[in-house]
Amino acid sequence: MTTTTSTTAAPTEAVATASTAATASTADAPALIRFRPTGLDTAPEVNALLERLGFGPFAPDGLTAFGGRNDNWAGTTTRGRQVFVKTVARAPDGSRPEIDRALAFEATAARLPAGSPLRTPEHLGTDRESAVSAFRLLPGSRSGSEVALDGDFDEALCREAGRAVATLHTLGTADGASGGTSGGEAPDPASAPAIDTGEAPLPPMRWLRAFPWSEVQDRSMAQIAAWKLVQDDTEVVAALHRLRERERTAPHTPAHCDLRFDQFLVHDGQLFLCDWEEFRLADPARDVGAFVGEWLFQATYSVFAPTGEPTSAKDAVAPGFDLSHEEIVERGAAGLRHHIPRIAAFWQGYTECRTPDPELAERAVGFAGWHLYDRLIATAQAHAVLNPVARAAAGIGRTLLLNPAGAVATLRLADPAVPHPAVTPAAVLPTAVAHPAQPHPADAPSGSPR
């Protein structure tokens, strides 16, 4: 078993993964919402790593966990260190691609100068054999998803997000990179995995035709219906193939490739970006499009929130589906007017730190369209039927995928010096919000799951 240690520049304390589900909290608890962690008796590798790093094991009092697909633990060790530890799944063949990608990021990010716009959790160490990583915990952090739902992910933070993502896209390769450790001893640069150059997995192009039966068994009825919504729409399938072709010929850079609001954390007014298990060389438009898509998803939810614009998580999940066509259009326009300046601020920050290639904005719109379908599929995981709000988001995604060039200026991804058009429902979403994406049975491929 080998343990690698390194640090990233900028932050002095790292942050834990975020959650969007509600639990009880105390006055001095982190703002991030917490869960009961998996028992450490079933994961002895966690305390073993902390012991190897010289921190001592987790103290049982106050041990907690945050949301996410990976087991994780947050708390204080017996030697007083506040740490966050998480595990990642191994591939069926026993390999550890997610850990390797995260370690490649750490080696690459070691080149960041102090004060870089890209702030990321301090990596304390990794046991690659057990696929466990430790980071310094930053109590009081807030998930970007919480910040957005509470209305606090303002234009200033969006500009900082743009600067951070652009800085990521300008990083060099991990070859020859070196970084410090918590004890000041630099690891062997040759031990750092190379940056993954494989194609990003989403959208899974084979699934546009049909599911493998094993995947059908692991999906909820709503997820199967969501995928069928994609598979049965031949125009969307063709648009996704075109987007993939454009991606293959686009300039590639280091990219996050799993960018969502909950990958951002806010602490003391500063923005951090975390969770690097999908880090690879990829089209930078993926990250830009994902950030845009997150705001468009928020705008869609605002249509159905009781007040038209959600101000908290509870408002965002209390839909009002008894709206008339006129009310839906009016609220859709209001949501767009509210959120598009934040997209513009992100783009401003991005272009301050990096000059994008001429077609990046158009590809980003396409990836924003896919992101909305991806959110539809993800939110369907725990349901038997599709959420109408997510269906509306998919309708927006369809519009963007079929005509990405037509939405660049309206989404404020054009040259900041060029006057932008007024935001109206017809400009970006001619019928998508009012008439959510629907399947086209006549065009259904024979291989689609039923």
Side-chain angles (χ1 to χ4, degrees):
M1 180 176 71
T2 59
T3 301
T4 61
T5 58
S6 66
T7 60
T8 56
T12 57
E13 293 183 321
V15 287
T17 309
S19 163
T20 56
T23 63
S25 62
T26 61
D28 58 348
L32 291 175
I33 298 164
R34 304 189 289 179
F35 292 82
R36 180 176 297 173
T38 300
L40 286 172
D41 56 336
T42 65
E45 64 273 15
V46 171
N47 279 333
L49 172 61
L50 294 177
E51 292 272 22
R52 289 169 67 90
L53 293 172
F55 303 150
F58 270 124
D61 292 342
L63 189 62
T64 187
F66 301 116
R69 59 191 175 91
N70 298 313
D71 279 340
N72 63 82
W73 299 260
T76 304
T77 70
T78 55
R79 296 183 183 176
R81 296 296 297 265
Q82 289 188 309
V83 296
F84 170 73
V85 179
K86 70 176 179 179
T87 64
V88 299
R90 300 186 190 187
D93 63 1
S95 62
R96 304 158 186 83
E98 292 186 348
I99 281 287
D100 288 344
R101 286 193 287 266
L103 289 175
F105 167 76
E106 298 297 341
T108 306
R111 299 182 173 195
L112 289 169
S116 168
L118 178 58
R119 302 179 185 89
T120 187
E122 181 188 357
H123 173 230
L124 301 174
T126 290
D127 178 352
R128 183 180 177 276
E129 293 302 313
S130 297
V132 178
S133 292
F135 303 85
R136 196 178 303 277
L137 178 67
L138 185 60
S141 308
R142 297 176 66 204
S143 160
S145 57
E146 292 180 51
V147 174
L149 285 170
D150 288 342
D152 296 331
F153 209 134
D154 57 17
E155 292 177 31
L157 276 179
C158 287
R159 180 172 171 267
E160 287 305 304
R163 290 170 56 82
V165 172
T167 301
L168 167 64
H169 293 168
T170 60
L171 288 177
T173 67
D175 295 340
S178 62
T181 71
S182 57
E185 179 184 355
D188 179 4
S191 66
I195 298 181
D196 191 345
T197 59
E199 189 173 71
L202 298 177
M205 304 308 287
R206 293 184 300 110
W207 290 13
L208 298 182
R209 178 173 178 83
F211 276 143
W213 175 242
S214 59
E215 298 293 341
V216 174
Q217 293 175 305
D218 292 337
R219 297 295 181 273
S220 70
M221 292 300 295
Q223 282 187 310
I224 293 173
W227 268 109
K228 189 172 183 296
L229 196 67
V230 178
Q231 293 167 331
D232 288 356
D233 192 330
T234 56
E235 290 181 303
V236 165
V237 170
L240 287 170
H241 279 285
R242 289 194 299 271
L243 182 61
R244 276 292 205 183
E245 286 301 317
R246 296 186 71 176
E247 176 186 23
R248 292 187 183 103
T249 59
H252 280 39
T253 69
H256 190 282
C257 291
D258 191 26
L259 201 69
R260 301 186 309 273
F261 284 156
D262 59 6
Q263 310 291 33
F264 289 98
L265 295 151
V266 179
H267 174 71
D268 286 346
Q270 291 188 316
L271 198 67
F272 294 80
L273 182 57
C274 61
D275 291 351
W276 298 96
E277 287 82 15
E278 292 301 325
F279 174 73
R280 68 186 72 226
L281 289 180
D283 185 351
R286 278 186 169 271
D287 291 342
V288 175
F291 192 86
V292 173
E294 286 284 84
W295 281 118
L296 293 177
F297 197 62
Q298 290 278 323
T300 308
Y301 267 84
S302 73
V303 170
F304 296 98
T307 60
E309 291 180 2
T311 57
S312 69
K314 65 181 179 62
D315 286 339
V317 296
F321 296 123
D322 56 344
L323 301 175
S324 68
H325 173 88
E326 291 74 16
E327 287 174 319
I328 290 175
V329 171
E330 180 181 353
R331 290 189 178 195
L336 287 170
R337 282 192 294 268
H338 187 68
H339 293 315
I340 283 182
R342 292 165 175 169
I343 295 173
F346 172 86
W347 187 243
Q348 177 189 359
Y350 188 91
T351 55
E352 287 172 357
C353 293
R354 179 176 187 264
T355 301
D357 67 83
E359 296 183 353
L360 186 147
E362 189 174 321
R363 297 194 312 275
V365 172
F367 279 114
W370 160 250
H371 188 83
L372 291 166
Y373 277 102
D374 184 55
R375 293 298 85 206
L376 164 68
I377 295 164
T379 56
Q381 181 177 1
H383 301 285
V385 296
L386 284 180
N387 184 327
V389 179
R391 275 185 176 270
I396 298 172
R398 186 177 196 274
T399 300
L400 299 182
L401 277 169
L402 297 189
N403 184 22
V408 167
T410 302
L411 292 177
R412 306 279 293 279
L413 299 181
D415 186 336
V418 176
H420 60 85
V423 177
T424 65
V428 182
L429 320 171
T431 58
V433 174
H435 302 288
Q438 298 293 336
H440 300 273
D443 297 328
S446 60
S448 298
R450 299 293 179 182

